[in-house]
């Protein structure tokens, strides 16, 4: 008997697949469900072998078909006050609570059930599942799988990324670059502070420059009214430096990000930030030759800008009987499937990101039911495809 979506979800939640931790036990369970149904399965592993992507297919061989894309990793629970064990699925008042229920193991569970049901049907086009790792830390893990698929002549046609949209069709999100600025000064005794170069002071000036760039984007940058924040943003999230109060710090690190709308080139924004960094450090270089602010990219992913009349959006409109589209504030792997694989891609999944990453994260039972219904209609489409 094919398990229900909540039954599958309970097993997925039981695996604490926090980013950078192993997801292999979860993938083993996925394979134990799919292989007896005849699914063709491949894994694409992290170099150290501790975690992997999984790509599974049911239906006929060959090109075409639809990819259901979801990530298996979740954010940590440390420091959060949960009412129940975050890694035990708990139902309360029509809501399923647990880490990852909304973001996004609910969709993964529904996709697995859909694949099991579809495997027994005479599909004319294949149904694919793409399960990734380390999405929450910059869409890092999926790249190995995408590179392997890009090298093939036969590829799927469409991709549905099942991030939580309350089963609405999302056609866009901003791109992201996560960056680190390393400020180099000169250490010294704090009693002789003017004879040294305080790296934290360089960092403070750098953050002021980031604020000025943000204000310029807000006032004069490109606009996309479909977003809650209709312009590109720059955000400083962490600052580290100093070892003791009586030591002038010689090094300071600042982690910051750029989230850009399609109308802005993040390379142009970063070039302006790099010019600011040089302008801050250059006046000190006569006395302190080492003075500089180096910027490196830590991670990033492209934005998604799918037209409402694109094949993936049209497919979802048919499945949901709703042509309304929106754009989401959070990032996804959708831009990588779109740009690196050339798949028409849209985002649609159960639950709300308002519940993600929080204590007592949940997904409503009705959302899972709506997702099951959509995927059942997708199977019918694949069965009757020309």
């Amino acid at each position: 008997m094919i398990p229900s979506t909540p039954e599958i979800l309970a097993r997925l939640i039981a695996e604490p697949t926090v980013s950078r931790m192993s997801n292999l036990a979860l993938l083993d369970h996925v394979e134990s469900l799919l292989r007896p149904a005849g699914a063709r399965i491949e894994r694409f592993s992290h170099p150290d072998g501790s975690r992997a992507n999984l790509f599974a297919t049911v239906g006929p061989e060959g090109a075409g078909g639809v990819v259901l894309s979801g990530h298996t990793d979740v954010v940590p629970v440390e420091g959060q006050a949960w009412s129940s064990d975050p890694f035990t699925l708990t139902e309360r008042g029509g809501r399923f609570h647990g880490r990852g229920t909304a973001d996004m193991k609910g969709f993964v569970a529904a996709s697995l059930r859909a694949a099991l049901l579809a495997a027994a049907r005479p599909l004319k086009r294949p149904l694919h599942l793409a399960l990734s790792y380390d999405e929450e830390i910059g869409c890092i893990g999926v790249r190995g799988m995408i590179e392997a698929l890009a090298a093939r002549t036969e590829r799927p046609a469409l991709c549905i990324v099942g991030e939580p949209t309350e089963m609405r069709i999302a056609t866009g999100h901003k791109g992201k670059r996560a960056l680190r600025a390393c400020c180099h000064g000169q250490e010294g005794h704090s009693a002789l502070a003017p004879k040294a170069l305080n790296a934290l002071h360089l960092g403070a000036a750098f953050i002021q420059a980031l604020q000025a760039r943000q204000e310029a984007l807000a006032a004069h940058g490109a606009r996309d009214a479909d977003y809650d924040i209709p312009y590109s943003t720059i955000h400083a999230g962490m600052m580290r430096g100093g070892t003791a109060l009586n030591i002038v710090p010689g090094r300071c690190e600042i982690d910051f990000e750029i989230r850009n709308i399609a109308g802005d080139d993040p390379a142009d924004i970063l070039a302006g930030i790099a010019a600011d960094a040089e302008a801050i450090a250059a006046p000190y270089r006569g006395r302190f030759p080492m003075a500089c602010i180096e910027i490196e990219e830590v991670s990033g992913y492209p934005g998604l800008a799918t037209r409402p009349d694109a094949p993936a959006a049209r497919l979802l409109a048919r499945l949901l009987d709703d042509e309304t589209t929106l754009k989401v504030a959070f990032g996804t792997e959708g831009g990588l499937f779109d740009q690196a694989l050339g798949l028409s891609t849209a985002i649609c999944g159960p639950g709300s990101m308002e519940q993600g990453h929080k204590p007592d994260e949940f997904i409503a039972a009705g959302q899972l039911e709506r997702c099951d219904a959509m995927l059942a209609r997708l199977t019918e489409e694949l069965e009757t495809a020309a």
Side-chain angles (χ1 to χ4, degrees), residues 30-51:
V30 168
E31 289 203 30
S32 75
L33 289 174
L34 294 180
R35 281 200 184 279
R40 303 181 294 280
I41 299 174
E42 301 173 86
R43 289 196 191 189
F44 305 92
S45 296
H46 184 276
D48 69 9
S50 66
R51 48 207 189 277

Side-chain angles (χ1 to χ4, degrees), residues 38-330:
R40 303 181 294 280
I41 299 174
E42 301 173 86
R43 289 196 191 189
F44 305 92
S45 296
H46 184 276
D48 69 9
S50 66
R51 48 207 189 277
N53 301 299
L54 183 145
F55 191 78
T57 302
V58 297
E61 302 270 2
V66 177
V67 176
L68 302 178
S69 169
H71 60 81
T72 62
D73 62 314
V74 299
V75 297
V77 298
E78 284 75 18
Q80 296 185 341
W82 283 71
S83 301
S84 55
D85 181 354
F87 297 110
T88 298
L89 190 68
T90 305
E91 184 178 7
R92 296 194 296 271
R95 296 173 172 178
F96 292 102
H97 293 264
R99 172 55 84 223
T101 48
D103 185 19
M104 59 179 295
K105 289 181 177 179
F107 177 78
V108 173
S111 297
L112 287 169
R113 184 172 188 274
L116 292 172
L117 292 169
R121 305 285 288 273
L123 302 185
K124 293 183 178 178
R125 292 286 185 272
L127 177 66
H128 311 276
L129 270 62
L131 305 183
S132 66
Y133 66 90
D134 287 358
E135 186 272 349
E136 295 287 4
I137 53 175
C139 300
I140 294 174
V142 74
R143 296 168 192 270
M145 175 166 56
I146 286 179
E147 288 171 3
L149 296 176
R152 301 177 181 178
T153 55
E154 293 186 340
R155 301 180 190 175
L158 308 176
C159 179
I160 298 172
V161 179
E163 293 279 6
T165 64
E166 296 183 309
M167 297 307 297
R168 296 178 294 172
I169 305 167
T171 56
H173 63 75
K174 296 178 182 180
K176 177 182 174 180
R177 287 196 180 186
L179 304 127
R180 178 167 297 140
C182 184
C183 307
H184 296 275
Q186 174 65 59
E187 288 186 340
H189 196 293
S190 63
L192 303 171
K195 293 186 177 183
L197 177 58
N198 193 318
L200 283 173
H201 293 180
L202 294 176
F206 181 74
I207 289 177
Q208 284 187 310
L210 293 181
Q211 288 179 290
R213 290 279 169 184
Q214 174 64 97
E215 290 167 3
L217 287 169
H220 309 295
R223 286 289 189 280
D224 187 334
D226 290 336
Y227 289 107
D228 290 340
I229 307 297
Y231 47 81
S232 299
T233 60
I234 302 170
H235 158 74
M238 289 188 287
M239 185 176 188
R240 298 174 294 276
T243 55
L245 182 58
N246 62 353
I247 299 175
V248 176
R251 181 184 176 93
C252 167
E253 290 183 347
I254 298 166
D255 290 354
F256 69 103
E257 70 175 22
I258 300 168
R259 291 184 183 257
N260 66 287
I261 63 173
D264 281 327
D265 185 342
D268 291 340
I269 297 173
L270 182 55
I273 293 171
D276 293 339
E278 174 60 18
I280 291 166
Y284 297 100
R285 210 163 285 142
R287 292 180 58 206
F288 306 100
M290 78 296 297
C292 68
I293 301 177
E294 298 175 321
I295 300 174
E296 65 171 324
E297 184 164 345
V298 177
S299 65
Y301 50 77
L304 181 67
T306 299
R307 292 175 54 89
D309 60 352
R314 292 203 309 270
L315 170 65
L316 284 168
R318 292 196 301 274
L319 300 180
L320 297 169
D321 290 324
D322 186 356
E323 297 183 353
T324 307
T325 64
L326 57 95
K327 294 179 181 178
V328 292
F330 55 86

